[in-house]
């Protein structure tokens, strides 16, 4: 009897060690595009996490606070039905290691000494590691190039149709100059994703274009879209007492 309880005690102790080891491990999961939208799981309040992560896909399944880490979206043409301050986004600059530096470290208007005279696709040997096949960029495949999107002299900025700089945090204004239809759909909540308050005038976080699309390989190979399919999650647990969800099949049918 005594022996058993000691064994049980040791077992319980080990279990405690294992679970505490798990609890201390840092959990990172992605919000939309793997490798470009990672968040670290933490408690907003004791027992209230900022996100719940899928153990299956590593994607975020639930947000404890949809506005965590967001900033006002900034001016977006014709986004008028939402009061200012109620349209928010997560700034991209926080996720980009290199771009915020591009304008100061290398391309400060001096280096490279000669700026390209046109936007014709060329190979860029110095950037091969970062962006393979710059000459045949998998976005437009030769029809658009770096300087259609990146500002010529301010390389930490994007560029609009007039050659004026745009913030990296508002990629929708860049994408919208060529994909105007998608930009309008996105603004109105038809394309992409929004989370937050349900009411049309309520506060919402818009996921920005580059949180989902990699601007450099939207047409990667045969996939043509740049999306990697995820395996679907398991269906949600049924409420207590319900054996199956067959009743849903007859819903609304008379
Ligand atoms: C369709 C528009 C578009 C084109 C064309 C384009 N870029 Fe970009 N690039 C972007 C956007 C938008 C971002 C910011 C991405 C984000 O928010 O995740 C970016 C990010 C970058 C970064 C920073 C990556 C980081 O992790 O910090 C570099 C470097 C870069 N681009 C270089 C290039 C080069 C070189 C070319 C040409 C071969 C090019 N880009 C073509 C839109 C474009
Ligand atoms: C300078 C114009 C230009 C800009 C800016 C631009 N694109 Fe594109 N995009 C194109 C062209 C051209 C294609 C190729 C369309 C085709 O082959 O039919 C394309 C293709 C795509 C595709 C592939 C699907 C399709 O329609 O074939 C996606 C997705 C896409 N772009 C998203 C974006 C996103 C997101 C941004 C902003 C980061 C962006 N684009 C900015 C011109 C642009
Ligand atoms: C929440 C993620 C998400 C956001 C945010 C998002 N998109 Fe998309 N986008 C998608 C998905 C998913 C598809 C469908 C891909 C497919 O058909 O394989 C798509 C398709 C597209 C296409 C190709 C559509 C076609 O008809 O072939 C374009 C162009 C595009 N998006 C541009 C944009 C632009 C511009 C923005 C920002 C204003 C944006 N997207 C924001 C997920 C997103």
């Amino acid at each position: 009897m005594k022996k058993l309880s000691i064994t049980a005690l040791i077992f319980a102790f080990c279990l405690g060690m294992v679970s505490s080891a798990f609890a201390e491990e840092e959990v990172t999961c992605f919000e939309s595009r793997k490798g470009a939208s990672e968040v670290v799981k933490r408690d907003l309040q004791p027992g209230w996490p900022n996100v719940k992560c899928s153990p299956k896909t590593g994607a975020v399944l639930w947000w404890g606070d949809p506005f965590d880490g967001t900033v006002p979206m900034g001016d977006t043409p014709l986004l008028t039905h939402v009061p200012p301050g109620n349209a928010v986004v997560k700034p991209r600059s926080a996720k980009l290691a290199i771009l915020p530096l591009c304008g100061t470290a290398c391309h400060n208007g001096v280096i490279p000494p000669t700026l390209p005279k046109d936007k014709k696709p060329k190979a860029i040997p110095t950037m091969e590691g970062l962006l393979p096949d710059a000459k045949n960029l998998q976005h437009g495949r030769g029809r658009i190039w770096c300087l259609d999107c990146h500002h010529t002299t301010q390389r930490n900025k994007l560029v609009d149709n007039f050659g004026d700089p745009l913030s990296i945090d508002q990629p929708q204004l860049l994408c919208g100059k060529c994909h105007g239809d998608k930009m309008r759909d996105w603004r109105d909540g038809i394309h992409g994703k929004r989370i937050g308050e349900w009411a049309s005038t309520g506060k919402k976080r818009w996921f920005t274009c580059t949180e989902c699309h990699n601007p450099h390989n939207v047409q990667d190979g045969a996939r043509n879209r740049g999306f990697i399919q995820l395996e679907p999650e398991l269906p949600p647990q049924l409420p207590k007492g319900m054996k199956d969800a067959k009743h849903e099949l007859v819903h609304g049918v008379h």
Side-chain angles (χ1 to χ4, degrees):
M1 190 63 190
K2 202 177 172 200
K3 207 171 173 188
L4 191 101
S5 62
I6 286 171
T7 329
L9 224 107
I10 291 170
F11 180 67
F13 179 72
C14 291
L15 208 76
M17 292 249 296
V18 168
S19 63
S20 69
F22 269 112
E24 272 160 30
E25 201 190 335
E26 194 175 85
V27 178
T28 305
C29 51
F30 65 94
E31 293 192 304
S32 45
R33 175 157 62 94
K34 208 171 187 172
S37 64
E38 269 65 13
V39 281
V40 177
K41 196 167 172 242
R42 63 182 163 79
D43 273 352
L44 297 169
Q45 279 169 39
W48 186 337
N50 58 338
V51 288
K52 283 185 186 164
C53 305
S54 161
K56 189 171 176 186
T57 58
V60 173
L61 294 175
W62 177 90
W63 281 264
D65 172 8
F67 310 122
D68 188 34
T70 59
V71 298
M73 187 193 285
D75 287 342
T76 297
L78 296 174
L79 184 65
T80 46
H81 67 284
V82 183
N86 272 7
V88 298
V89 293
K90 255 200 187 173
R92 289 303 297 155
S93 36
K95 291 274 176 265
L96 299 167
I98 306 155
L99 195 55
L101 298 174
C102 292
T104 47
C106 300
H107 302 281
N108 55 4
V110 184
I111 307 165
T114 52
L115 287 168
K117 287 184 204 64
D118 53 45
K119 298 175 184 171
K120 282 214 182 84
K122 298 169 199 63
I124 314 176
T126 48
M127 302 200 75
E128 200 62 27
L130 197 68
L131 253 144
D133 208 7
K135 202 173 170 196
N136 184 31
L137 196 68
Q138 291 303 297
H139 190 158
R141 293 185 180 132
R143 276 174 288 164
I144 65 167
W145 202 53
C146 320
L147 300 180
D148 285 309
C149 297
H150 293 279
H151 194 273
T152 317
T153 51
Q154 299 177 48
R155 289 294 167 85
N156 46 359
K157 295 274 169 67
L158 303 170
V159 66
D160 72 7
N161 269 336
F162 302 102
D164 291 327
L166 290 171
S167 161
I168 321 167
D169 296 334
Q170 282 186 288
Q172 69 273 13
L173 299 182
L174 166 78
C175 313
K177 69 182 187 179
C178 298
H179 302 285
D181 57 334
K182 285 290 168 299
M183 156 78 169
R184 284 188 292 275
D185 284 352
W186 174 85
R187 181 193 65 208
D188 300 339
I190 299 165
H191 185 90
K193 176 169 177 156
R194 299 185 302 185
I195 56 174
E197 291 166 10
W198 184 248
S200 62
T201 51
K203 185 172 176 177
K204 291 181 189 64
R205 167 185 168 192
W206 268 255
F207 281 66
T208 58
C209 317
T210 54
E211 286 181 276
C212 295
H213 298 281
N214 180 343
H216 302 138
N217 79 349
V218 289
Q219 294 173 293
D220 192 13
R223 280 188 288 132
N224 217 41
R225 290 284 198 281
F227 280 98
I228 298 158
Q229 270 187 331
L230 300 178
E231 226 185 297
E233 295 290 332
L234 295 169
Q237 219 175 346
L238 291 170
K240 213 174 158 191
M242 195 185 284
K243 284 200 186 63
D244 56 45
K246 287 216 177 89
H247 66 283
E248 286 189 357
L249 299 175
V250 293
H251 184 77
V253 180
H254 299 285

